[in-house]
Amino acid sequence: MNRIEERLALLKQAGKTAFIPFLMAGDPDFASSEEIVFLLDRSGADIIEYGVPFSDPVGDGPVIQQAAQRALRGGASMKEVLESVRRIRTRSSVPLMLFSYLNPILAYGIEAFARDAAEAGVDGVLCVDLPPDEAAEYKRLLDAAGICTIFLAAPTTTEVRLKLIGEQSSGFVYYISRLGVTGERAILEKDLERAVTRVKKLTGKPVCVGFGISTPEQAAAVASMADGVVIGSALVRLIHEQSARPGGIDAIKVWADNMSRAIHEKH
Amino acid sequence: MLARRMGKTRVIAETGAGQHGVATATAAAALGLECDVYMGSEDMEWQQLNVFRMRLLGARVIPVDTGSRTLKDAINEALRDWVTNVRHTHYVLGTVHGPHPFPMICRDFQSVIGREARAQILEREKRLPDMLLACVGGGSNAIGLFYAFLADAQVRMVGVEAGGKGLVPGMHAARFAGGSRGMLHGAMSYVLQNEDGQIGSTHSVSAGLDYASVGPEHAWLHDIGRVEYTCASDEEALKAFELCSRLEGIIPALESAHAIAEVIKRAPGMDPNAILLVNLSGRGDKDVQQAMRFLPEYR
């Protein structure tokens, strides 16, 4: 069984929700990213969402855009991201998914990507700008490699489309808690619980919620209604602020412990 | 009117040279819609007249400071706005690019150019032209002209991209000459990119052609061999800009001057009775400020 599916199944049995932190691979450099992945694993992260930097990330807000730019300036590429995953796998078996735009995958070659990603130890891929109705070849190749294909659903997604997303997704469906790009927001969308219930029902898959969740309070609230909570920009910002400071890694650990506790205990 | 029909109260647009922004701002003013236009801050510097026009028409012009600060980045920002505000906002995408059905919407509106041109040339010359020429950035004016003639097998078609300062990465926007298959802004097409799939930087003297990808229908027309694609350099375009102004009394847009440059290259080798139909897709008064930098002899 795939590590993502296995972890979500275990959590479901225990009545718990997955803590899914996002970080940009290679920001500020790969050694730091890998160190932070190990730290997140120790803090109880259930799935690591590892961002593949892209020059034109139209789904991302400024925090993640700038992180991608920093990683690219450092020379990051898909090849290096996969090498990084390979290094992570020598020390950790934490479930790990890539968050990527389609073009770096296309440039790598979908077939070669599926093969090399599986071999490196990637468990899932969320390709942000690949619509589920154009994904036949991609899904076939990733399925064959044993990698989960995770697709996005939004508050405006219709019933018909949610069913399609459910069919094309494995592992879980990633629900965008509110319209827009990635980034921290002060308040959660109203009616989130009803929306998540609808997505669960129509897709028939576990539903993890992301976009705009930044505080432990928000995370705990979302944890009570979803199968997983994704936290991206808040962590990416923290990594940027702390990584150059002496002892910065400890601040990231404190953050991760707090977030993990809030999500797992749901308060 | 599409926005109205969908019950949306706000329109947004991206613009390179500013023409599409002015057009959107004009329509929004006439229909009483709120209007925001994203424009690369580098483009804003060189197109101050159009920025003024848009503001005068009641639009807000939002400078885009990310990336190369040109058209591609303006589209990025417009897409981000659109996914955030889609409930009440319609994105008036200014070229035959972007996610489906945007390329189709834009093509169908632009195809008026070709339908009228075809009817007019048949009326005046009693025959079809031998060759159509148009500049290709995203490629809306070119598709607009070509579309009505696609079934006329005897009509050759040439799309002219921006050759910039030369076909070296970062110095041009000739996607067919220097690009490869890729996906940008929701469309699969020819894209200027590095081997890792990161989008390359581009350059052209004309803001409207300065874009790393090309409309997907052009990619199709290229691959089936129906349309030939070539490019004109900055220098050739400026020469054509000058010649057209001098000989015809028409100051063409720097974008359209790329198509004229191709006419200058091809016409001498063709039958004197051949009809070449070139799309003068934009006017050059918006470009005089930019052209003055390169043509100091007229100052």
Side-chain angles (χ1 to χ4, degrees):
Chain A
M1 203 181 195
N2 177 290
R3 289 188 195 95
I4 292 174
E5 290 172 324
E6 193 177 10
R7 178 66 62 103
L8 289 173
L10 279 174
L11 288 167
K12 195 180 171 73
Q13 275 176 13
K16 283 192 186 288
T17 302
F19 167 36
I20 310 176
F22 167 96
L23 73 163
M24 180 61 70
D27 171 39
D29 52 61
F30 280 104
S32 308
S33 296
E34 289 156 25
E35 215 41 60
I36 295 165
V37 169
F38 300 136
L39 170 164
L40 292 166
D41 185 12
R42 287 196 301 276
S43 292
D46 295 294
I47 302 169
I48 302 288
E49 200 178 323
Y50 211 33
V52 178
F54 180 53
S55 55
D56 293 80
V58 291
D60 285 301
V63 170
I64 294 179
Q65 285 173 41
Q66 285 155 19
Q69 286 302 322
R70 288 191 295 270
L72 289 174
R73 276 199 298 274
S77 65
M78 180 65 90
K79 194 159 155 269
E80 292 213 27
V81 172
L82 294 180
E83 274 166 23
S84 174
V85 174
R86 213 167 281 137
R87 285 191 295 272
I88 290 169
R89 279 289 169 251
T90 62
R91 285 176 54 191
S92 166
S93 58
V94 65
L96 186 146
M97 61 185 272
L98 298 181
F99 173 100
S100 181
Y101 289 81
L102 181 60
N103 207 47
I105 296 176
L106 280 179
Y108 198 97
I110 303 177
E111 193 165 2
F113 169 75
R115 181 193 64 218
D116 292 354
E119 188 263 324
V122 170
D123 306 302
V125 178
L126 166 57
C127 185
V128 203
D129 54 350
L130 175 62
D133 32 8
E134 306 269 355
E137 188 195 356
Y138 165 90
K139 179 156 176 61
R140 185 174 58 77
L141 292 166
L142 268 67
D143 277 353
I147 297 175
C148 288
T149 53
I150 294 136
F151 286 90
L152 295 169
T156 46
T157 306
T158 57
E159 256 183 48
V160 176
R161 217 168 158 77
L162 279 174
K163 285 180 188 156
L164 174 69
I165 289 167
E167 284 161 21
Q168 296 292 82
S169 295
S170 49
F172 64 91
V173 168
Y174 187 130
Y175 180 68
I176 297 172
S177 65
R178 56 191 296 169
L179 295 176
V181 294
T182 57
E184 302 154 78
R185 292 176 184 94
I187 47 164
L188 288 173
E189 188 90 331
K190 275 183 283 175
D191 288 340
L192 184 59
E193 185 155 18
R194 192 149 43 127
V196 172
T197 309
R198 172 175 175 260
V199 177
K200 277 186 196 171
K201 191 171 141 243
L202 289 165
T203 62
K205 294 279 155 65
V207 174
C208 299
V209 177
F211 280 41
I213 303 163
S214 57
T215 67
E217 293 73 27
Q218 289 173 336
V222 176
S224 65
M225 47 185 102
D227 299 295
V229 184
V230 186
I231 300 164
S233 294
L235 175 58
V236 171
R237 187 173 48 75
L238 186 73
I239 291 171
H240 180 53
E241 286 165 3
Q242 297 294 342
S243 59
R245 284 192 195 162
I249 198 91
D250 300 325
I252 298 170
K253 180 85 173 86
V254 169
W255 179 92
D257 287 341
N258 283 336
M259 206 51 98
S260 181
R261 198 177 311 117
I263 291 168
H264 289 135
E265 293 169 15
K266 305 185 186 183
H267 63 76
Chain B
M1 285 189 283
L2 260 177
R4 268 267 180 97
R5 190 178 158 80
M6 291 188 289
K8 299 193 173 180
T9 55
R10 174 175 177 258
V11 290
I12 54 169
E14 87 295 342
T15 196
Q19 298 299 86
H20 175 60
V22 170
T24 309
T26 305
L31 295 170
L33 299 166
E34 194 188 334
C35 178
D36 286 335
V37 179
Y38 289 91
M39 190 167 185
S41 54
E42 188 178 312
D43 291 340
M44 279 177 78
E45 255 171 61
W46 292 111
Q47 300 293 348
Q48 288 174 15
L49 286 173
N50 275 340
V51 173
F52 179 78
R53 283 191 188 103
M54 287 184 265
R55 287 181 176 150
L56 186 65
L57 289 159
R60 202 156 61 108
V61 182
I62 305 170
V64 176
D65 270 317
T66 50
S68 56
R69 304 188 298 144
T70 59
L71 184 58
K72 167 179 77 89
D73 309 284
I75 296 178
N76 286 348
E77 284 308 320
L79 282 168
R80 289 177 183 127
D81 180 317
W82 183 53
V83 298
T84 308
N85 301 301
V86 64
R87 285 198 169 102
H88 66 279
T89 296
H90 177 59
Y91 180 12
V92 187
L93 218 158
T95 189
V96 286
H97 207 279
H100 175 74
F102 282 110
M104 254 170 59
I105 293 174
C106 187
R107 176 200 68 201
D108 290 350
F109 285 142
Q110 294 280 332
S111 64
V112 176
I113 303 169
R115 286 211 300 275
E116 291 189 356
R118 197 170 181 282
Q120 287 172 18
I121 200 107
L122 283 175
E123 188 190 321
R124 186 173 293 198
E125 300 291 339
K126 314 290 179 222
R127 68 183 175 99
L128 289 167
D130 298 281
M131 184 181 279
L132 309 178
L133 300 107
C135 65
V136 180
S140 57
N141 89 85
I143 282 281
L145 176 65
F146 296 166
Y147 199 59
F149 293 91
L150 284 178
D152 303 318
Q154 72 274 34
V155 180
R156 292 173 62 193
M157 303 179 184
V158 182
V160 188
E161 301 185 285
K165 292 177 182 162
L167 295 182
V168 182
M171 287 293 128
H172 67 92
R175 289 70 42 103
F176 290 111
S180 52
R181 196 176 88 120
M183 190 175 107
L184 177 65
H185 296 144
M188 179 86 81
S189 185
Y190 284 78
V191 178
L192 292 170
Q193 56 184 328
N194 71 10
E195 57 182 20
D196 192 41
Q198 306 298 337
I199 306 306
S201 58
T202 52
H203 162 82
S204 170
V205 70
S206 64
L209 303 187
D210 197 356
Y211 181 52
S213 184
V214 59
E217 197 163 355
H218 284 292
W220 163 248
L221 294 171
H222 170 271
D223 287 358
I224 61 169
R226 180 65 186 94
V227 180
E228 183 189 339
Y229 293 87
T230 180
C231 59
S233 69
D234 283 357
E235 203 183 322
E236 289 165 337
L238 282 160
K239 188 92 193 140
F241 176 80
E242 214 181 332
L243 262 180
C244 183
S245 304
R246 177 86 45 104
L247 298 178
E248 302 288 340
I250 298 169
I251 302 178
L254 280 173
E255 288 79 10
S256 320
H258 285 72
I260 300 167
E262 190 60 24
V263 174
I264 294 170
K265 283 185 216 169
R266 295 206 183 217
M270 291 176 77
D271 180 341
N273 294 316
I275 301 174
L276 279 72
L277 201 161
V278 57
N279 194 5
L280 267 178
S281 51
R283 38 200 266 186
D285 47 351
K286 71 175 174 60
D287 291 320
V288 290
Q289 201 183 358
Q290 166 88 327
M292 269 168 71
R293 278 206 298 173
F294 299 103
L295 303 170
E297 62 272 32
Y298 299 108
R299 276 196 214 167

